[in-house]
Amino acid sequence: MASCAGGHGEATEDCGGGGNQSSLYEAYNELHGLAQEFDTPFDAPAVLVVGHQTDGKSALVEALMGFQFNHVGGGTKTRRPITLHMKFDPSCEDPLCRLVSDADPPALSQHLSLHEIQAYIEAENMRLEREPCQFSSKEIIIKVEYKYCPNLTIIDTPGLIAPAPGRKNRALQGQARAVESLVRAKMQHKEFIILCLEDCSDWSNATTRRVVMQIDPELSRTIIVSTKLDTKIPQFARSSDVEVFLSPPACTLDGFILGDSPFFTSVPSGRVGPGHESVYRSNDEFKKAVSSRESEDVVSLEEKLGRSLSKQEQSRIGVSKLRLFLEELLQKRYMDNVPMIIPLLEKEHCSATRKLNEINQELSTLDEAKLKEKGRTFHDLFLTKLSLLLKGTVVAPPDKFGETLQDERTNGGVFIGTDGLQFPQKFIPNAGMRLYGGAQYHRAMAEFRFVVGGTKCPPITREEIVNACGVEDIHDGTNYSRTACVIAVAKARDTFEPFLHQLGARLLHILKRLLPISVYLLQKDGEYLSGHEVFLRRVAAAYNNFAETTERACREKCMEDLVSTTRYVTWSLHNKNRAGLRQFLDSFGGTEQPGAGNFSQETTLGLVSDEKPEIKHRSDVKLSHLASGNDSGTCIQTTETRLADLLDSTLWNRRLAPSSERLVYALVQQIFHGIREYFLASAELKFNCFLLMPVIDKLPALLREDLESAFEDDIDNVFDMTNLRHSLGQRKHDVEIELKRIKRLKEKFRRIHEQLSARQMIANPA
């Protein structure tokens, strides 16, 4: 098996013939390319190299290949994963490289020199460095044939970054997260063998293993490699340290790694090239240097240990031993996976055939009558989904489409009063639930009721009262009822108008979210018009425009109500408890005493709460008793005196007495409360009637009218017939290519499976 895996010609018969083995590698390489290009659901076995920057990752990959092709050194030299499909070919004196283009199909992949490959990788790194993400998960695929290449598929990933903490290193910390996310996504592929590189002399430091074990906690598909062995050997002072390093205790490595123990490699420094800064003139010299370094490492270890290395220990020292192990392991995976690949290819073949039939069917229906009918059918189905979402459904997954109250506030806006504070979420029902549709609409309206219903009148200052008094056009006395009205309507307008805009924005956000959820439901039920992007954008634009104009019209109606109720005070509307206010005013006839002192605002606000303290009736001070016909001189004198005092303290006196202040406070609170109750009921009713209901009873007719108008004007532009035909033709071409490749691969793997089965029957006759 080892000789076959090495692929060096003399022992290929052990694997069933060199041609058979070559066909196996070629089939898996093509399978990997197919999975990358068409996002098919299978992965060919490959070796995924994972390590931190400066761990010697790219240098090790070059040593395994037998030639240099990439830029190595400090910093980030790999910003896209590089997939190398390597194939042993003893006739190739120089590496034969083909770059699989991002745009072209594999059949048109380009033959490039090593210098051109290096230039392409460097240009990609520079391009990505200028972009916000700086890294890409899309692989650069290179096919290599060379006399020193093993039969392997290796994926070199960007180096992991360990940034320093602190705010000044935020950019590097962001890059570190991006790289780790990319590498972890690659490690998720179960078919990949993970080559975990550690540049440390103490196995308790699990720098790269920390990341790898998040995906492969048992290290069951991980090979651990200690790089830069030549720099570590001089660091050991005692032979016992070397013993522990070469054969670490099982508890130290945590798991059951492939190969049972780590591998140890060294790659000599220096680049290949003709320049004076180059160390090696050719790749042959580089290959010899790698082999020499391996021999020198064995000698140095034996000197440190004071004994010869065992055969088991020698099988773990050097790049050649690692390459041999990888080839054997990958070849076994290839052969074991052949029977499982065939049914996957069969399934993908059926899927591609079905897609091709659907495209042909769609091409056959590209006439005006059928397109109009499809458009009308989609219109009806779309409205059905909208109605379903408003009435309530659980078909759309809440984890994908639902919003918690916090999400809703972030995306749709927050209800914030004049104090700038948000209403605590814990008081809102279902605040932590991820809702959409009618349920989310109801929760938003409930929050509006909570917030507005609990809104208190903003503080009133003595300066505001005095400024609101002004002068009349006929006298210079004070009219405190007018003063209270001026203050109350101004406070109410400033307080409630922002809530109106916030409610409109929040409910509009909820209605607009119905569109993508409806699209999901249509796709789930197979009722979506795939390929008709222009028509779908028109429907989406018509719906969003309807939602925006309806919300704006509804908000304007509410604004009319708010303007009217804050422009003219109607006591029957603004004062819900006239008897209570009358009772309060009656108390002013004789309760004002000189030196009564000023009342704090909290005291005066308490006078107009819903539960007013009982005020004792005093019939001798009621103004209505002035005309009672009482002939008692004492009573008349007392009443006239108190009336004069009242007028002096309210009408004729500009000095704001406590009684006047309390009177204004009471009236303002009463008026503000009436406006709040009317605004809350009016806004909720109007948004339900003029925003929610039109989605149900007006939207269908408006959408249908827009659709029919578009059909009459220019159906070619509605469905973009020219581009649609071109798009379908391109899709058909792509699916046909995919189908041919799958069919060819299926036949390849079937033949390989038959040959392997035949060999097994010969080797193990019944």
Side-chain angles (χ1 to χ4, degrees), residues 667-683:
L667 287 172
V668 169
Q669 295 293 327
Q670 196 77 5
I671 297 168
F672 186 90
H673 175 77
I675 294 174
R676 183 187 67 195
E677 296 304 310
Y678 178 79
F679 169 76
L680 182 58
S682 172

Side-chain angles (χ1 to χ4, degrees), residues 22-40:
S22 178
S23 298
L24 180 66
Y25 292 132
E26 288 177 357
Y28 268 108
N29 287 348
E30 189 173 349
L31 183 70
H32 184 89
L34 187 71
Q36 284 291 313
E37 188 174 351
F38 294 105
D39 196 23
T40 44

